Amino acid sequence: MNFLILNGNPPGKGKKIDEYIERLAGAIKNARHDVEVLILRDMKINPCLGCFDCWVKTPGLCSIKDDAREVAKNYIASDHVIFCSPLIMGFVSSLLKNAMDRNLPLIHPHLEDLDGEIHHKKRYDKYPVISFLLEKESCTDDEDMAIATEIFRRQAINVRTTLGFVRLTQSPVEEVLRAIDVH
Amino acid sequence: MQLTFINGSPRPAKSNTGRLMEHFIRGFLETAGNTCQTEFLARHRKNLDALAENFASSENVIIGFPLYVDAMPGSVKEFIEALEPLSGSKQLPALGFVIQCGFPETAHLRFVERYCAKLTRRLGCRPLGCILKGGCEGLDVQPDFLTAKYYLAFQAIGLHFGKTGIFDETLLKKLAHPENLKAENMLQIIPFINQGLWDAQMEKNGALNKSFDRPLIP
C-alpha cells in the first residue's frame, strides 16, 4: 500500500509529533509499505480563495501556483493518508486545514444523493482512506476529541472515502500500526 | 450595543457570508444607539494580533464563514489560533457565529456548530450561538423569491439581537429549515444546482467538456 503522511505541525510547536511521525513512517516502511512524508511547514500552501476556478475554469486544477498541487497529486496517488497535527484550540492546525481545503479540485462540483444526504460527486475513481494522528493540548478533553472526530468522519464522507483511525501521539507507534492493518 | 462582525470569507468583496450579514446588520442598526464595525479577515492575515486586540475590546463579536470541508476555512482557523492567548481573560466579548454552506441541508453545519460552542467556552466568552444557513452557493444567481426569504430572516434575527442581545431560537430554527431533504426534494434541487449553477459557469468558461477531467491522475 501507498501511504502519505502530511505533517501539519506548525513552526514553534515543539518537535514531539515530528519525532513520532518519523518513528511511525519507519514502522510503516518496515511493514513493507511505501510511505511519503510531506512536512507542510516547509512548503508554500496558501489558503483556498473560494474562487471555484478548479471546478468551473480549469476542472481539477487549482489556479493558485504553490505547493498545494504537489500535496493533491500525492494524495490522490495514495491508498491511505495520515493527517498529523497538534490540536490547537481544539482542532487541527491551520497549516493542515489550509492543505485540506486546497484539495477541493479532487472532487467534482456536481451534487448527488449519497445515502439520503447531498454530497459532491467523485472526480477520481478511488480516494485514499484518511486517518488522523493528533497531539493533545493541555486542555484537551473527551468532548474535544468527540467534536473533532465527528468532523473528521464528515470530512471523510465529503472527500468520498472512509475514516481510518483517529489516534493520539500518546499511543505507542505499534498501536497505530495495528490500526492501519485493519484497513 | 456595539458589534464587531468579522467576515471570515476568503472572498471579501463578493462573499455570500457578507451578503447575508448585510441584512442582519441592517436589522441590528434599527435600534437607536447600536453601532457595527465590519472587519474582513482576509485583509488582516498579515497582522492577526491587531484583529485579536480588536476582538478583545469589542462588546459583541460575530465571526462569519463559509463551511470548508466540514469545518472552518484554514484562514479562519489561523485567526482562532491568534485568539489563544486571550483564553480566560476578563471582559471578553459575547461571541456568536454565522456559518453558511452550499449544501441545501443545514445538517452539514451541525458539526462545526458544536466546535464553535466549545470554542466559545474555551475562550470564556458569553455564547450568542450560531446562525446557520444552508443552500447559499451562488446567492447572486438564485431566484429572488428564495434570496428575499433568507435576507428577511437575517434582518429579523439582527433586529431581535439589536434589541435584546440574544439570537432568537425560533428565528434560528426557521432559518435552519430544511435540516435534511426528502428524496423527492433532492431530485428537484440537484439538477437545478448541477446544471443551473455549475454547468452554466463551466459553459461560460468553455470548460464544460472538461468537467470530469482528472488532470492529477498518477
Side-chain angles (χ1 to χ4, degrees):
Chain A
M1 285 217 298
N2 285 321
F3 283 83
L4 171 65
I5 299 181
L6 294 180
N7 179 345
N9 188 23
K13 277 278 166 189
K15 288 270 169 276
K16 269 169 78 181
I17 191 166
D18 293 346
E19 288 161 12
Y20 191 98
I21 291 167
E22 270 180 40
R23 278 185 280 134
L24 178 62
I28 294 174
K29 251 182 229 161
N30 284 341
R32 279 176 286 167
H33 297 294
D34 286 326
V35 56
E36 166 101 18
V37 181
L38 294 178
I39 301 172
L40 298 175
R41 63 175 177 272
D42 295 338
M43 304 174 84
K44 182 90 192 125
I45 295 168
N46 289 291
C48 171
L49 294 174
C51 69
F52 291 127
D53 280 7
C54 65
W55 281 354
V56 302
K57 269 194 184 156
T58 51
L61 290 175
C62 179
S63 60
I64 305 172
K65 302 279 178 284
D66 62 9
D67 297 329
R69 185 172 298 179
E70 194 188 329
V71 176
K73 231 179 181 162
N74 276 284
Y75 179 98
I76 202 65
S78 308
D79 301 306
H80 196 144
V81 175
I82 306 172
F83 292 107
C84 306
S85 172
L87 287 168
I88 308 172
M89 299 296 270
F91 201 59
V92 299
S93 66
S94 52
L95 180 70
L96 180 60
K97 185 58 172 57
N98 276 326
M100 296 174 80
D101 293 347
R102 293 287 303 284
N103 272 343
L104 191 70
L106 296 177
I107 55 165
H108 194 276
H110 279 184
L111 303 175
E112 64 183 341
D113 175 354
L114 196 68
D115 301 326
E117 207 175 64
I118 291 185
H119 292 279
H120 286 283
K121 280 187 192 166
K122 291 180 174 181
R123 178 179 296 283
Y124 293 89
D125 290 332
K126 198 180 132 293
Y127 291 85
V129 170
I130 60 170
S131 289
F132 289 82
L133 174 72
L134 307 167
E135 184 177 78
K136 265 190 174 183
E137 48 194 332
S138 56
C139 54
T140 302
D141 59 20
D142 290 348
E143 188 189 16
D144 289 315
M145 290 305 293
I147 291 170
T149 302
E150 276 312 300
I151 293 178
F152 302 152
R153 209 180 299 286
R154 297 290 300 178
Q155 290 175 326
I157 299 171
N158 267 323
V159 296
R160 303 305 305 262
T161 184
T162 51
L163 180 64
F165 62 83
V166 179
R167 286 286 188 286
L168 293 166
T169 52
Q170 287 156 236
S171 318
V173 166
E174 296 70 38
E175 192 194 313
V176 175
L177 212 58
R178 273 199 299 279
I180 288 170
D181 273 341
V182 175
H183 300 281
Chain B
M1 220 188 326
Q2 183 274 340
L3 170 66
T4 302
F5 168 49
I6 298 174
N7 186 341
S9 167
R11 307 186 276 214
K14 276 180 72 180
S15 78
N16 293 318
T17 310
R19 213 173 288 216
L20 295 167
M21 277 304 283
E22 233 174 75
H23 297 271
F24 176 99
I25 291 165
R26 182 174 304 159
F28 174 78
L29 293 176
E30 276 182 42
T31 301
N34 282 358
T35 58
C36 177
Q37 170 197 6
T38 297
E39 298 290 347
F40 295 95
L41 183 56
R43 295 185 184 142
H44 287 274
R45 254 198 100 216
K46 296 256 157 16
N47 187 6
L48 288 173
D49 290 344
L51 191 59
E53 267 171 45
N54 188 339
F55 174 100
S57 62
S58 299
E59 193 185 329
N60 297 278
V61 172
I62 295 176
I63 301 175
F65 58 85
L67 190 71
Y68 271 29
V69 210
D70 296 279
M72 74 303 283
S75 50
V76 171
K77 184 67 197 337
E78 289 172 6
F79 178 57
I80 292 171
E81 289 169 10
L83 295 178
E84 190 173 15
L86 295 176
S87 302
S89 309
K90 284 199 178 110
Q91 296 200 319
L92 286 178
L95 177 60
F97 296 86
V98 56
I99 313 166
Q100 52 86 14
C101 67
F103 296 113
E105 312 108 313
T106 304
H108 292 266
L109 296 162
R110 294 295 176 192
F111 303 86
V112 73
E113 179 187 36
R114 284 181 68 200
Y115 173 81
C116 290
K118 179 72 194 263
L119 172 65
T120 307
R121 273 184 279 138
R122 178 171 251 122
L123 286 165
C125 294
R126 180 169 70 83
L128 296 174
C130 291
I131 306 172
L132 306 179
K133 179 80 194 94
C136 288
E137 197 41 65
L139 281 181
D140 47 350
V141 297
Q142 287 191 24
D144 289 344
F145 75 89
L146 275 182
T147 52
K149 224 167 72 178
Y150 309 160
Y151 295 156
L152 276 175
F154 268 85
Q155 190 170 347
I157 296 169
L159 178 70
H160 188 272
F161 176 66
K163 282 184 194 159
T164 62
I166 53 174
F167 294 168
D168 182 75
E169 284 293 335
T170 315
L171 292 172
L172 290 186
K173 214 169 174 181
K174 214 171 129 191
L175 182 73
H177 181 80
E179 200 70 36
N180 291 286
L181 286 177
K182 293 195 185 89
E184 60 261 37
N185 293 337
M186 283 197 220
L187 281 176
Q188 286 181 316
I189 288 175
I190 290 171
F192 177 78
I193 297 175
N194 289 358
Q195 276 83 57
L197 181 65
W198 297 118
D199 286 358
Q201 287 185 74
M202 284 184 237
E203 188 149 34
K204 211 174 79 192
N205 297 325
L208 191 53
N209 59 338
K210 293 185 282 182
S211 171
F212 280 90
D213 272 12
R214 300 164 172 194
L216 299 182
I217 208 129

